[in-house]
Amino acid sequence: MTLLQTLAFWAVLPLLALALLLAFVRLVRGPSLPDRVVALETVAVVSVGMIVVYAVATDEPVLVDVASVWAIISFLSVIAFAHYIERWRRKP
């Protein structure tokens, strides 16, 4: 393991875990549905970051593909949630 990989594994992953925890708290406590959707997207983005950092730390390039697919799926889910919220607000 190189110095960059060691630094990525022991310094960045705990920070991303803290960000994931804080986003999860917002997801649970969010006062409104749009807040929860944004928190869900934050959880997805942070989890993609964690996968990429793990891929760099363990020198497994296939995990970057997994992270890319996960990012695309989470982006599409946020688009779907936004569409749902927009339609929900139009109803009287």
Side-chain angles (χ1 to χ4, degrees), residues 19-20 22-28 30 32-48 70-71 73-82 85:
L20 186 67
L22 293 174
F24 188 73
V25 167
R26 173 54 64 189
L27 181 66
V28 172
S32 66
L33 184 59
D35 290 335
R36 290 187 171 138
V37 171
V38 170
L40 182 66
E41 178 63 18
T42 304
V43 166
V45 167
V46 170
S47 64
V48 166
W70 178 244
I73 290 172
S74 69
F75 175 72
L76 292 176
S77 69
V78 166
I79 296 292
F81 275 123
I85 290 170

Side-chain angles (χ1 to χ4, degrees), residues 7 13 16 20 27 31-32 34 42 53 59 63 68-69 71-72 81 92:
L7 180 67
L13 275 181
L16 287 174
L20 186 67
L27 181 66
S32 66
T42 304
V53 167
D59 200 22
L63 291 177
S68 298
V69 170
I72 291 169
F81 275 123

